Structure formats: C-alpha cells, structure tokens
Amino acid sequence: MDDPYQNNINQQGDAYPTYGEGGEYTYPYQTDYPPQEEDDAASDATEGHDEDEQMYEGEYQGIPHPDEIKEARRAARREARMKARMAAEVVEETLPEQYESIMEDCGHGRFQWTLFTVLGLALMADGVECFVVSFALPSAEKDMCLSNADKGMLGLIVYVGMMIGAVLWGGLADKLGRRQCLLYALAINCIFSFLSSFAQSYGFFIFFRLCSGIGIGGSIPVVYTYYAEFLQMDKRGEHLSWLCLFWMLGGLYASFTAWGIIPHYGWGFSMGTEFQFHSWRVFVLVCFLPSVAALAGLVFMPESPRFLLETARHDEAWMVLRQVHDTNWRAKGEPERVFQVSQLKVPQTQDDEFIEIQSETGTAFQRFMVRHMTLVKQVMKNMMSLAAPDVRLHGLFIAIVWFTMAFSFYGLGAWFPDQIKYLQFEEYESNVKIFHREKVERFHFNFTLQNQVHKEGEYIHDRFINIEIRNVKFEDSLFENCYFEDVRSTETFFENCTLKNTVFYNTDLWEDSKFIDCDLENTTFLHPKKGCHLNFQEENDILIYIDSFLGSLSVIPGNILAGLLMDKIGRLKIIGGSMLGSALCTFFLLLCFSQWAVVLFQCLFFAAGAAAWNGIEVVTVELYPASKRATAFGVLNGTCKLAAIISTFIFGKFIGITKIIPIILSFSALVCGGLLSFKLPETREVILQ
C-alpha cells in the first residue's frame, strides 16, 4: 500500500529546501510546520525508554526534527550575512574595474582629443612661466635698477610660487574637483601675469610674479590627474606622454616671442617719467595668452567622472560618461550606439555630509568658516594619509626620484645660460682697450664709447653730447670745464677722479652710484634721468634666446620615444634608462670651452633626459588611488620645485669658478634616482584605483 504521506511530499517537494548530513539539504519540509516544545519532543509511545533509544515519530514520515529546522535556519541566516558582506566588498573592489570597462566602451576619440588640447594649453602656460622671468630679467634689471640680490630673488620667486601652488591646488583638487581647481588656478595666473606687466616698482612686480606662480603651479598635478581619468588603461601611458609635448611648446613659445619682441625697444609707450611700458613688458603680457586660451577652453569641459564617483555624485558622473560615449561614437559615424550603463558602483564618503550639516546653522560668517576650516582639515588629513604604511615606502622612493631628477635638470638648466654669459664676458673682457695718460682738450665726443679703461687721463673743455657709454671705466682722471648732455650709460664708473666746473645735464650718471671716491669741485647735476638705461642692442643676448629655443626643441625626440615605448617596455625602464643616459651626458660638460659647445651639450643632455620626465609623471598618476591622486602629485611636484630652488642657487655659485662640482652633483643625483626608480612598482597594466 502506498504511503499516504508520500504524495504530499512529492507534490510540495520543489518548494521546500532539503537537509542532509553535514548540513547539506536532503529532506523536504514545510516552512509553516507548527513549532514544538523541546520538552514534549518525545511521544507517549516511546515514554520510559532510554534517551539513546528514543525514536522521533516523525522520522517514519520523512519530516525533519524541530532541532534540525532551527539549525538550518541559523545556517541560512549565517550564509545570508556572509553573502551580504561579500557583496559589500565586491562593490568596493570592482569599482575601478567597472570604471575601466566603461572607459573602454566609451572609446578614445573626439572628446579625449578636445580635452587633450585644452589641458595641453594649461601645460604650455606652465612651461612659459618658467622662462618669462629669465628672458625679461636682463631688461627688467635695468628698467627697475635691480641689485644682484634683487635679481637672484626675482629668479627664485617663480619657483617658490609654483611650489606653493602645486601643493595647494593638488590637495584641493581631491576635495573640490579637478576642473574647478584648474579653473581657479588658471584664473589667478591670468590676473597676476597681466598685472605684473604693468608693475613699475620691484616690490609690486615680485609680488605679482609670486601670485602668478602660485596660480600656474597647480597646472601640472591637476592636468595629469584630470586627463588620466578619461583614458583607458592601454591608452594612458602613450597619451600622457604626448601631453608632455605641450610643456616643450611653452618653452619654444617663450623663446620665440622673447627673441621677436624684447630687442625692439620701440614696441612700448610711456606716460611721463613715472610710467614706462618697454618692450620686455609687452613680452610679459604676451606670455599669459596660453593661460587665457586654456581657461576659455576649460569652461566647456566637464568634471572628471572618477572624482564625481569618489564624492558620491553618481548621477553627474553618469551624465559625463554618457557625454564622453556619445561624443566619441557620433564622431566615428555610429550615433545609434547607446550608453548601456544603468548603475554605477559608488564608494561611500562622509566629508561632504558633515559640511552640509554644519551649514544649516549659525550666521553666514560662521557657515563660511565651518566649510573652509573643514575643507582645510580634510586636505591636511589627505596629505597625512600619504605617509600610511601601505604607500609610505613607494612614496619615499618616488619622492627621491622626483627630487634627484629636478635637482639635476633645473640646476643645469640654469647653469647653461649663465655659463654662456660668463664665456661672453670673458671674451668681452679680452677685447678691452686700455688708454693710459691720454690728454684730450676741446674735443666733441659724438660717438659711442665701449669696453674701454682710461687711466690717469686729462679732459679739458670737452663735450660729451648725445652719446652712449658702455662698459667704460675712468680711473684717476681729471675732468675740467667739461659738459655732459643726454648721455646713456651701461656699467660705466668714475673711480678716484677729480671733476672741476663740470655739468651733467639729462644723464643717467648719478652722483651717488657712478662716482666712486671722486672729488667733485663745483660740479652740477641737472635733470638727471630716472630709471636705468635699457640697452637693447647687445648682440650677446640673441644667443641666449637661441640657446633656450634649441634646448626646448631638443626634448622632442625624447618625448616621441617615450610615447611610443611607454606601453611597450614599461614605465620603469623608461625612467631608469633615461636618467642613467643623461647622467653619462654630464661628463661632456668638461668640453664646454665655447658658447656653441655649451648649446650643443645642453641639447644632448635635455634630449637624453626628456623621457624620464614623461615616465615619472605617468607612474605618479597610476601609483595612487583616486582619492589621493592629485594630492600626491601636488606634493611630489612641490618637491620638484624645492629641488629646483636649491640646485639653481648652488650651481650659480660655481659659475666661472669650476665645472667639476656641478658635474659631480648632477651625475650623482641622476645615478641615484635612476637606480632607485627600478624599485618602484610597474604600473603599465594596472587599472587606476
């Protein structure tokens, strides 16, 4: 006879879980089976038997024991909690993978190339900023009568501003957004670059250049972080390397415009004697145009979707990603392709919630202070997190590589032009004409006096009218009844001379600076010229422009090579090989006995080391997670500018003294950094975290 319970079990078996030995399901059961008390579990039929011999009556019917049901429910709950925890972990772990797959689906096309151009102009503005002061300084020092100390400070103040700007804007970019911070940075650079071209005093000029440097200092860390987050993995190394070309274009632009504008003295205007706008100021004004162009283009670009995801703004991130997708595929002739991503995985953050909670209470000033103090704390906390144990060692290694590379390249970059100037000075000094005990009476000097030394001469009833005196020195000489009018002088001095009944009218031969230990008897200075004489006809300056132009041009082969090989042989081989190759080139500096030899070996050195800059910038972007990426890049770029300040100061001290010290310092730094770069993690096939 068939079991009356068997049909019931077969009919409902598909709806019930089953249990078996070891926790496996083998038996069907009803989920609404009435619970039984544990004390009444034994039936009357088995009452009186031993506990080991007790038999559960439901066992004959295939119904599980209540204890088994409870244990199964506990196991199910444990399994559900475990799956929930694993699902939460998978959300965080797969966000980078999902973002990478989305970027692959969006493709590489018109959107990335448009952004490439806009961000390239921002990098170009950074390259221009590094050259502006060095080109304008020879004229500015005469226009504003700068001392050697003032010139040195003006040359370093740009790097100080860029160092501050790199750390500041890099830290803010991880909290406020890449696009927003870059807009602020470029706007500050534009404003203060424009104002510096009109500044008449040294104090205002150096302050405006400092603020301009702070603004443009944010371009490198923010630009690379911003652009990398729109690139898929197999395109990242190559296209970030192409982006480096714009920095070189900035150097070419500055060199070319300086060469074409500064020597033209007539390209300016004046308003009385208090306001002068000479051609070097026109050059400074023209140099802020790349920054203006980048600022205008950036207005039409969206925020980085990776940053939006980090700040839980997933709706905005989705819209940006769809814009990238649609822009690229429409340009490729496939407008029918649909952006198929419907849900984005977003990490949870709490910082912005805290700001909003605080902003609902207090006065406007209190809300302003709460927001900005909280922002400062967040930025500082993010910077401190760079010293966390999981990134500390690699962070130290990459900081050393940045420092050693910048120490050598910026130091020698400043040493090459100074060495050319020193060789020019030596050549100039070797051609000096010496006049001893000459006596000139009633003579009209109407021609230029240049590169001369006059010792123990006598000048009686002579007239010096509308002439230029360059690099002339009068020693132990007598001037009696002489007349100087409309005289322009450069590096001209009177030492231990006697002047009797002599008149200086409308000259820049000032009593307090041009006459050293002189005896002035009945000597009159009428309507002295204000400011310093600007000499735009010095042919030696042209070589400086050519040197900078060729130096910037020489990095093109290195940039192209890095772009082609970055994703093929890896970042570390690019960095290490380039730094070690440039280290070997430093020994050629021993052969720099002429001006053109300096130019030649400078080009060789820059060409060998260009690829290392590309590689270190790519590794820096890929090494850090999105929440710390711009902050880390800003700190490391600030370290780079600190090395530039130190090296330019040290190397400048050895100009005309010895070449050995700069060579040893550069070689040691490059070898140390090149070898240490191989200890960095290879990031060629790593998804941005």
Side-chain angles (χ1 to χ4, degrees):
M1 182 177 179
D2 295 337
D3 190 341
Y5 298 98
Q6 187 65 35
N7 293 333
N8 184 43
I9 293 173
N10 291 336
Q11 292 172 2
Q12 302 179 8
D14 295 340
Y16 305 139
T18 58
Y19 296 86
E21 295 180 0
E24 297 293 333
Y25 295 100
T26 58
Y27 298 107
Y29 74 100
Q30 292 181 341
T31 57
D32 57 351
Y33 187 86
Q36 301 183 22
E37 298 293 336
E38 293 181 5
D39 295 339
D40 298 331
S43 66
D44 294 337
T46 59
E47 185 176 359
H49 290 266
D50 291 340
E51 195 169 327
D52 294 337
E53 297 177 359
Q54 289 180 353
M55 184 74 67
Y56 172 55
E57 61 184 359
E59 184 176 354
Y60 294 106
Q61 303 171 1
I63 300 175
H65 193 282
D67 291 342
E68 294 179 351
I69 296 175
K70 294 178 182 178
E71 180 61 29
R73 289 174 177 170
R74 295 191 195 99
R77 285 194 294 269
R78 285 196 300 270
E79 185 176 358
R81 287 194 297 269
M82 180 64 69
K83 289 182 178 179
R85 284 195 296 269
M86 292 177 63
E89 293 176 359
V90 168
V91 169
E92 295 183 3
E93 292 174 354
T94 59
L95 174 59
E97 285 81 0
Q98 185 199 31
Y99 189 81
E100 178 65 28
S101 65
I102 292 173
M103 294 311 302
E104 290 177 356
D105 183 58
C106 291
H108 189 92
R110 175 178 293 177
F111 181 90
Q112 280 84 359
W113 286 114
T114 303
L115 184 64
F116 175 84
T117 304
V118 173
L119 298 182
L121 289 171
L123 273 187
M124 182 177 175
D126 182 272
V128 171
E129 189 75 15
C130 294
F131 290 94
V132 169
V133 171
S134 61
F135 286 143
L137 190 57
S139 300
E141 66 173 302
K142 299 172 183 177
D143 196 8
M144 294 185 284
C145 302
L146 302 182
S147 63
N148 290 332
D150 291 338
K151 289 188 294 183
M153 179 59 67
L154 188 57
L156 294 178
I157 200 65
V158 175
Y159 290 123
V160 173
M162 296 175 78
M163 178 179 67
I164 297 172
V167 178
L168 173 65
W169 298 114
L172 290 175
D174 281 331
K175 297 301 176 183
L176 299 180
R178 285 75 161 108
R179 173 182 176 273
Q180 185 174 353
C181 284
L182 190 56
L183 281 172
Y184 291 157
L186 291 175
I188 291 174
N189 175 252
C190 289
I191 293 171
F192 287 100
S193 292
F194 178 80
L195 293 176
S196 68
S197 64
F198 294 93
Q200 297 296 303
S201 68
Y202 171 75
F204 277 111
F205 185 76
I206 196 172
F207 173 74
F208 290 150
R209 293 317 303 182
L210 173 65
C211 295
S212 174
I214 292 175
I216 203 61
S219 65
I220 288 182
V222 179
V223 161
Y224 281 99
T225 301
Y226 189 17
Y227 191 54
E229 293 173 347
F230 283 96
L231 297 173
Q232 59 201 64
M233 182 175 62
D234 59 341
K235 300 284 186 180
R236 200 165 53 233
E238 177 185 355
H239 288 272
L240 287 176
S241 297
W242 298 139
L243 193 63
C244 296
L245 285 169
F246 278 92
W247 199 94
M248 174 270 299
L249 291 178
L252 294 177
Y253 176 83
S255 305
F256 187 77
T257 53
W259 190 0
I261 295 176
I262 293 180
H264 296 278
Y265 181 77
W267 291 15
F269 62 91
S270 61
M271 299 174 62
T273 59
E274 298 297 328
F275 185 87
Q276 303 288 331
F277 196 86
H278 296 127
S279 58
W280 70 269
R281 297 182 183 274
V282 178
F283 163 71
V284 173
L285 188 62
V286 169
C287 282
F288 92 118
L289 294 181
S291 186
V292 173
L295 183 63
L298 193 62
V299 172
F300 302 97
M301 293 292 106
E303 180 57 84
S304 165
R306 193 68 177 89
F307 167 77
L308 295 174
L309 289 174
E310 287 295 320
T311 53
R313 294 155 63 183
H314 53 279
D315 291 339
E316 297 177 58
W318 187 88
M319 294 296 293
V320 174
L321 290 171
R322 191 182 71 171
Q323 177 187 351
V324 176
H325 177 277
D326 294 347
T327 301
N328 287 341
W329 289 111
R330 277 199 303 267
K332 294 177 181 179
E334 300 184 36
E336 68 279 359
R337 294 193 61 157
V338 179
F339 186 58
Q340 299 178 349
V341 178
S342 59
Q343 185 176 3
L344 295 171
K345 297 178 174 62
V346 183
Q348 299 297 320
T349 57
Q350 300 295 330
D351 295 338
D352 294 337
E353 297 175 8
F354 175 73
I355 296 175
E356 293 303 321
I357 291 171
Q358 295 295 326
S359 66
E360 295 175 359
T361 59
T363 64
F365 177 75
Q366 289 174 333
R367 292 195 296 270
F368 175 84
M369 292 302 298
V370 166
R371 289 192 183 98
H372 288 80
M373 290 304 297
T374 304
L375 179 62
V376 171
K377 291 178 182 178
Q378 292 172 1
V379 172
M380 294 304 298
K381 182 180 178 181
N382 211 25
M383 288 185 182
M384 293 299 103
S385 68
L386 298 178
D390 56 334
V391 295
R392 182 186 305 159
L393 186 61
H394 290 156
L396 177 62
F397 286 171
I398 198 170
I400 294 175
V401 175
W402 269 97
F403 186 91
T404 54
M405 189 161 56
F407 181 87
S408 299
F409 280 90
Y410 281 100
L412 288 179
W415 184 85
F416 286 126
D418 288 344
Q419 182 68 15
I420 291 175
K421 291 179 181 178
Y422 175 75
L423 293 174
Q424 291 173 346
F425 176 76
E426 280 191 329
E427 182 180 355
Y428 195 72
E429 286 287 308
S430 65
N431 296 325
V432 65
K433 297 180 180 179
I434 301 177
F435 299 86
H436 191 69
R437 292 183 178 180
E438 63 175 351
K439 185 174 182 179
V440 181
E441 292 188 48
R442 300 184 183 278
F443 186 79
H444 183 188
F445 289 88
N446 58 358
F447 51 86
T448 298
L449 301 179
Q450 180 177 351
N451 198 21
Q452 300 174 0
V453 176
H454 299 262
K455 298 182 178 181
E456 300 180 6
E458 294 184 9
Y459 305 90
I460 313 297
H461 293 285
D462 294 327
R463 298 170 64 85
F464 301 80
I465 299 178
N466 194 26
I467 66 170
E468 183 176 347
I469 307 177
R470 287 187 282 174
N471 298 90
V472 176
K473 187 176 183 180
F474 296 94
E475 297 179 359
D476 303 311
S477 299
L478 171 65
F479 293 84
E480 186 174 354
N481 295 316
C482 292
Y483 181 76
F484 292 79
E485 181 179 351
D486 291 329
V487 174
R488 303 177 303 279
S489 66
T490 303
E491 298 295 330
T492 297
F493 302 96
F494 297 78
E495 185 175 352
N496 296 323
C497 295
T498 301
L499 292 88
K500 299 179 179 180
N501 303 318
T502 298
V503 176
F504 293 87
Y505 181 84
N506 193 30
T507 72
D508 58 6
L509 298 172
W510 302 300
E511 180 180 2
D512 55 347
S513 60
K514 299 291 186 178
F515 299 88
I516 305 172
D517 298 329
C518 292
D519 184 16
L520 305 179
E521 300 178 7
N522 196 24
T523 298
T524 306
F525 296 86
L526 301 175
H527 302 288
K529 292 183 178 180
K530 294 183 179 180
C532 300
H533 170 54
L534 293 176
N535 180 13
F536 294 97
Q537 306 301 323
E538 296 182 9
E539 297 179 358
N540 292 338
D541 288 345
I542 301 299
L543 185 58
I544 300 299
Y545 304 142
I546 297 175
D547 173 66
S548 298
F549 185 85
L550 295 178
S552 299
L553 201 63
S554 65
V555 305
I556 291 180
N559 276 319
I560 295 176
L561 189 65
L564 295 176
L565 299 180
M566 190 70 70
D567 290 320
K568 292 182 174 61
I569 67 174
R571 285 78 162 119
L572 304 188
K573 292 180 181 179
I574 291 287
I575 300 171
S578 179
M579 292 185 71
L580 294 177
S582 56
L584 295 176
C585 293
T586 57
F587 287 104
F588 288 108
L589 302 182
L590 294 172
L591 305 178
C592 293
F593 297 112
S594 67
Q595 300 172 31
W596 285 105
V598 174
V599 174
L600 174 63
F601 293 126
Q602 172 188 278
C603 294
L604 180 63
F605 177 76
F606 286 162
W613 286 103
N614 296 26
I616 196 66
E617 286 160 349
V618 173
V619 169
T620 302
V621 166
E622 297 173 332
L623 187 61
Y624 290 91
S627 59
K628 301 180 178 66
R629 186 168 296 130
T631 300
F633 208 129
V635 171
L636 292 170
N637 195 250
T639 304
C640 166
K641 296 304 186 291
L642 176 63
I645 295 171
I646 295 173
S647 62
T648 52
F649 176 79
I650 293 176
F651 284 34
K653 297 297 183 180
F654 295 98
I655 295 295
I657 298 177
T658 180
K659 303 175 186 175
I660 300 299
I661 301 300
I663 290 174
I664 292 176
L665 291 177
S666 300
F667 177 81
S668 302
L670 289 170
V671 170
C672 175
L675 295 177
L676 191 61
S677 67
F678 291 105
K679 295 293 184 180
L680 295 173
E682 179 57 71
T683 58
R684 176 173 43 166
E685 298 179 353
V686 175
I687 295 174
L688 287 182
Q689 298 299 313

